[in-house]
Amino acid sequence: GMLQARLSLGLHDPADVKRPPGRPEAPLPAEAESGSEGAYLWYAARSDDGSDFGAVARVIPSEGRLTAEGKETVISGADEVLVLLRMFVHGSREKEWQRLTAELAAEERSYKELLASHVLEHGQLFERTLLDLGAEGRGRSNEELLLEAYQGEAPLAMLEKMWAYGRYLLISSSREGGSPCHLYGLWCGEYRGFWAFNMANENLQMIYWQALSGRMPELLLPVFDYVERLLDDFRLNARHIYGCRGIFIPAPTAPDSGLLKTIAPHIVHWTGAAGWIAQHYYDYYLYTRDREFLRNRALPFLREVALFYEDFFITGEDGQLISCPSNSPENKPGNGTGGPKGTTVNATMDFAIAKEVLSRLVAGAGEEGLYAEEVPVWKELLSRIPGYQLNEDGAVREWMYPPYGDEYHHRHQSHLYPMFPGKEITRDKDPELFQAFLTAVKKRLVVGLKEQTGWSLAHMSNLYARLGEGNLALECLDLLSRSAVMNNFFTLHNDWRNMGIGLSMDWAPFQIDANMGFTAAVQEMLLYSEPGRIRILPALPDRWRRGRAHGLLACGNIEVDVDWDREKEALTVTLKTALSQRVTLKLPRGAAFSDRDSGFRESMAENLVQLTGEGSVCLQADLQPGSPFIMKLKFQQPSL
C-alpha cells in the first residue's frame, strides 16, 4: 500500500532535443493535446501529413485510490499498478480516442496472461538457438561489464549478452507483413530520425546477416516483401537514369517510394544494391531448400538484376566488361584520382556482385529448368568479367583500373565482398587470392583504424571470422565494445567517449546495425557453410575455452549443435536434417578421433580424408531425416 504515482502522456522534454552540428532544428509535433478522466489518459498531436497520431492509456491499480487532476491520473496507497496502452498512427483524434478507450475497457486479461502470449511468440524464435561460452559473472550489470571491456577485452558474459541482444532486437523489428528493420529498428530516441530509412550499401544487409545461421529465416521475408512492393519504382529508376532494363535500387529507400531521391554521385553511381539484396534471396533458398521460393521469388528477382547488367556493362577493347559509372561505397581512390565523391570505373565490388548474381542465376535456372534462352547470355557475361587484381602491397585492389590507388583509411570494406559476405573466395579454393584478401583486411585494421565505426568493426569481425582468424575477429568485437556500445548495450555509429578508437565526430548517433553485426560475427566464428560443405568452429578464439552453440543453421536446412571443452579435450558435433543429403564436414584444427571412437572411425573410414598442411580432419557424412549424425572427438589446443 505504499505505491504513489502521478501519470500523464506527453512528449519528452523539448530541451532534450539534440541537433548535430550543421543540421536543422527538429520540428516538434504540432497541436498537441493531452488529458485524463478517471482511469484513462489520452494524448494526440498533428503529424506533418496533416493527420493525428496519439495514444490512450488505462490505469488499473491494485487497491489504493485513483483520481484525475488536470492532465494527470494520481494513484495513492496502491500495491501495484497495471498500465495498458494502445496507440494510433493516422486518423482523427476524437474518433481514435473513442475506439481505443472501448478496446481498453474490454480488456480483461491480467499482466501475466498478456505477457504469456508475447513470451510464447517471441520465445519460439529466440530459443531456437543457444550460446553458452561458460561465462562467469552473468549477473553483473551492463555498466560493470563495460568497465571490464574498457580495460581491453570484453568479458565472456558481455559477449553472450550482446549476441542474445542482437537476436532480440531483430526479432522485435522484423516480422512478415511489416517493413524491414532499418537503422533504428523500433527505437529512435530523437525527434528527427536522421537515418530512419533502409540503407542498402551495407547496413540493411548487415542487419540481416544473423537471420539464416541463427535459424530465423522467416525474419528475412519483410525484406523480400518490401523490395517486391517497390519493383515498379526500381524499374523506372533503371530506365530513366541509365536507359536499362531490369531494376536499379538506390542505396537509401523508404517505404513510401523506391524512386531515386538524391543526386549525390556516390548514390547515383553505385549500382550494387539490387545485386547485394539478391544475395539474401538466394541464400534464403540455400538455407531453407524452399524450391517454391526459388522458382517464384528468388530467380525472378535475380533475373531483374541480370537484365540491368546486360544493358549497363560496357565492352572494352580487350573484350572484357567495364562498369562505368562506378562507386565503391562511400570511398574514393587514395591518390586523388576519380570523379566527385568516388565516381570511378570498375569498382571491384561491382563485378563481385555481378559474378555472384549471374553464377547463381545460371545454377538456379538449371535446377528449375527456367530461362533456357537467357542462360547462354549470362554465361557469356560471366566469361568476360575481369579477374581480381592485387596492388603493390599484395592486397586485393578496390578498383580494377590502374590509375586508381587504394585508400586504406576508410570504414567500408566493399572490395572484400567475394570473401565476405560472398563465398566465392576461400582458402581451399584459391589459397593465394585468399591471402590477398587477408592482407587487405589487415590494412584496414592497422592503417585505417582511426576511420572505423561501430558497424565497420562488426563487419571487420565477420571478415576475420570468414578468414579463419578467430582472435582478430574477437579483437574487433573488443574494440567495438570499448568504443561504440552504450550502457543499455545499443551500438553507436562511432566512439561516443572520444577515446581515440575509430572515427571522431561531434555526435555519436545510435545505429542498430552494429548490434546485429555483432551477433552475426559470433555465429560466423562458430559455423561456416555452403552447399554440401560445413566447417565446424572455423574461427574459434583462444579465449573461448569451452562452450555450447546449439541450433545453428547450415546450408541445406541442417541444424548444427557444437559442444567443446579444451580443458577436457572434448568436441561433440550433432547434425540434424529434414532432407537426405551428403555433406563434407571440416573439423577445426586440433580435433581428432580418439581411441574410444575407433568403432565410429572404422565405420566412416572410406569417407575420412586428412587435409595436408592444415592438420584438419575432413569427412563426408550421409545425413538422413530423423537420424541425428553425432560425433564425439578429442579436441586439443592446436600448436601455434
Side-chain angles (χ1 to χ4, degrees):
M2 296 298 292
L3 201 154
Q4 319 289 328
R6 304 180 74 90
L7 303 178
S8 62
L9 294 178
L11 296 177
H12 286 279
D13 187 343
D16 292 337
V17 174
K18 294 180 182 178
R19 184 175 64 177
R23 300 288 184 123
E25 189 73 56
L28 297 178
E31 300 179 42
E33 184 179 358
S34 62
S36 69
E37 184 175 345
Y40 293 90
L41 297 163
W42 61 84
Y43 175 85
R46 187 64 44 83
S47 295
D48 51 13
D49 66 357
S51 67
D52 288 336
F53 72 92
V56 175
R58 178 188 172 194
V59 183
I60 308 172
S62 173
E63 303 301 330
R65 184 182 175 201
L66 183 151
T67 58
E69 292 185 11
K71 297 180 180 181
E72 295 181 326
T73 291
V74 181
I75 301 157
S76 58
D79 295 320
E80 61 182 39
V81 178
L82 174 64
V83 180
L84 306 177
L85 184 139
R86 286 186 176 272
M87 296 174 286
F88 68 95
V89 178
H90 297 288
S92 165
R93 61 186 69 188
E94 289 81 7
K95 187 180 295 184
E96 294 300 315
W97 284 340
Q98 186 176 11
R99 176 179 67 84
L100 297 182
T101 300
E103 290 176 3
L104 290 171
E107 181 58 72
E108 296 181 350
R109 288 173 292 176
S110 66
Y111 175 78
K112 186 176 181 180
E113 290 171 320
L114 289 164
L115 180 63
S117 61
H118 172 81
V119 168
L120 180 65
E121 186 163 354
H122 181 92
Q124 67 89 14
L125 281 165
F126 186 84
E127 293 169 5
R128 288 180 189 174
T129 305
L130 172 147
L131 175 68
D132 175 3
L133 297 176
E136 297 179 354
R138 288 176 178 146
R140 287 181 291 171
S141 68
N142 289 3
E143 289 80 3
E144 290 172 303
L145 295 173
L146 280 169
L147 283 172
E148 185 173 336
Y150 294 159
Q151 305 308 309
E153 293 182 352
L156 294 179
M158 180 174 177
L159 295 173
E160 289 179 346
K161 198 170 185 179
M162 286 291 289
W163 170 84
Y165 192 37
R167 189 171 176 83
Y168 163 80
L169 295 175
L170 186 59
I171 291 171
S172 301
S173 304
S174 190
R175 185 59 56 91
E176 187 176 8
S179 293
C181 175
H182 58 67
L183 284 162
Y184 292 140
L186 295 182
W187 306 272
C188 181
E190 304 290 346
Y191 286 116
R192 179 184 291 278
F194 293 102
W195 291 336
F197 51 82
N198 298 303
M199 190 67 173
N201 70 358
E202 166 85 22
N203 316 90
L204 175 67
Q205 291 85 349
M206 180 183 289
I207 286 169
Y208 284 92
W209 284 342
Q210 62 160 300
L212 293 174
S213 61
R215 207 151 64 94
M216 303 185 295
E218 61 266 56
L219 299 190
L220 269 166
L221 295 175
V223 178
F224 308 143
D225 294 340
Y226 174 76
V227 296
E228 288 167 17
R229 284 198 303 269
L230 300 175
L231 276 177
D232 286 341
D233 285 351
F234 300 150
R235 292 186 185 111
L236 278 173
N237 289 336
R239 188 163 67 248
H240 290 175
I241 299 168
Y242 288 114
C244 295
R245 296 169 297 161
I247 57 176
F248 170 70
I249 300 181
T253 61
D256 63 316
S257 169
L259 296 177
L260 180 70
K261 296 182 179 180
T262 174
I263 58 172
H266 71 291
I267 301 298
V268 179
H269 297 155
W270 186 65
T271 57
W276 197 344
I277 291 171
Q279 183 188 76
H280 286 296
Y281 267 89
Y282 206 81
D283 280 351
Y284 179 91
Y285 159 67
L286 292 178
Y287 277 80
T288 65
R289 300 301 296 179
D290 185 340
R291 292 281 295 273
E292 182 180 352
F293 179 88
L294 173 67
R295 186 180 186 90
N296 297 324
R297 299 187 73 176
L299 292 177
F301 185 83
L302 267 67
R303 180 177 176 271
E304 293 275 0
V305 181
L307 287 173
F308 179 84
Y309 288 140
E310 288 179 39
D311 295 347
F312 177 77
F313 288 140
I314 305 164
T315 301
E317 293 180 359
D318 58 1
Q320 291 191 318
L321 299 179
I322 297 173
S323 179
C324 183
S326 180
N327 177 268
S328 194
E330 303 186 27
N331 200 4
K332 57 186 178 181
N335 58 351
T337 54
K341 286 202 171 182
T343 300
T344 55
V345 176
N346 285 5
T348 297
M349 186 186 213
D350 286 358
F351 289 125
I353 292 176
K355 189 186 296 186
E356 180 182 71
V357 168
L358 295 169
S359 299
R360 288 178 156 190
L361 194 49
V362 169
E367 193 171 335
E368 293 297 312
L370 297 174
Y371 311 133
E373 295 182 358
E374 296 174 89
V375 167
V377 176
W378 300 329
K379 288 183 176 179
E380 197 270 339
L381 278 176
L382 277 167
S383 71
R384 294 192 291 117
I385 291 178
Y388 301 121
Q389 301 173 8
L390 309 188
N391 64 19
E392 61 277 6
D393 296 322
V396 172
R397 289 173 56 86
E398 193 157 352
W399 294 272
M400 298 181 188
Y401 191 64
Y404 298 153
D406 281 296
E407 174 57 275
Y408 297 134
H409 297 272
H410 203 264
R411 60 199 178 278
H412 279 267
Q413 300 140 73
S414 308
H415 56 311
L416 307 181
Y417 185 99
M419 187 266 299
F420 179 87
K423 297 178 179 178
E424 178 189 353
I425 304 299
T426 67
R427 190 191 304 273
D428 298 334
K429 295 174 187 174
D430 193 330
E432 183 178 348
L433 198 52
F434 183 86
Q435 185 61 40
F437 277 91
L438 177 57
T439 300
V441 181
K442 288 185 174 179
K443 289 291 184 181
R444 285 292 208 269
L445 183 59
V446 178
V447 178
L449 179 60
K450 282 287 292 179
E451 281 71 34
Q452 299 311 305
T453 62
W455 62 260
S456 74
L457 287 168
H459 189 148
M460 196 177 292
S461 180
N462 281 273
L463 283 165
Y464 276 124
R466 185 64 59 86
L467 286 159
E469 299 283 347
N471 291 333
L472 290 173
L474 186 55
E475 181 183 352
C476 291
L477 297 186
D478 289 336
L479 290 169
L480 169 57
S481 300
R482 287 164 56 192
S483 62
V485 177
M486 292 192 291
N487 62 351
N488 63 1
F489 277 12
F490 271 144
T491 54
L492 302 171
H493 175 269
N494 50 275
D495 178 3
W496 67 283
R497 299 182 303 139
N498 293 317
M499 299 301 290
I501 304 171
L503 199 65
S504 178
M505 291 173 50
D506 293 329
W507 184 46
F510 160 53
Q511 197 170 314
I512 205 171
D513 45 4
N515 279 110
M516 312 303 202
F518 196 116
T519 300
V522 170
Q523 293 168 191
E524 195 71 42
M525 294 182 223
L526 300 171
L527 183 71
Y528 168 82
S529 71
E530 56 185 85
R533 189 171 183 85
I534 296 174
R535 292 182 62 192
I536 302 297
L537 303 181
L540 187 66
D542 292 340
R543 279 159 48 198
W544 296 3
R545 305 296 300 170
R546 61 186 175 91
R548 294 183 298 153
H550 287 190
L552 296 173
L553 188 66
C555 286
N557 202 9
I558 300 170
E559 186 179 336
V560 182
D561 295 347
V562 185
D563 297 70
W564 73 96
D565 191 321
R566 283 169 165 160
E567 270 70 39
K568 295 181 179 179
E569 298 187 350
L571 172 65
T572 301
V573 179
T574 305
L575 307 181
K576 290 173 276 187
T577 179
L579 303 168
S580 297
Q581 55 189 306
R582 170 172 284 194
V583 297
T584 298
L585 194 64
K586 185 174 181 180
L587 304 176
R589 292 177 68 241
F593 291 94
S594 61
D595 293 338
R596 67 179 182 273
D597 294 317
S598 58
F600 176 82
R601 180 168 185 160
E602 288 172 7
S603 68
M604 294 295 299
E606 62 185 31
N607 291 325
L608 286 173
V609 181
Q610 190 76 26
L611 294 183
T612 305
E614 289 191 62
S616 298
V617 171
C618 189
L619 61 98
Q620 288 184 328
D622 291 311
L623 307 182
Q624 300 297 330
S627 179
F629 180 87
I630 303 174
M631 290 188 303
K632 294 186 177 181
L633 305 114
K634 190 174 184 179
F635 186 37
Q636 297 176 312
Q637 176 72 34
S639 57
L640 300 178

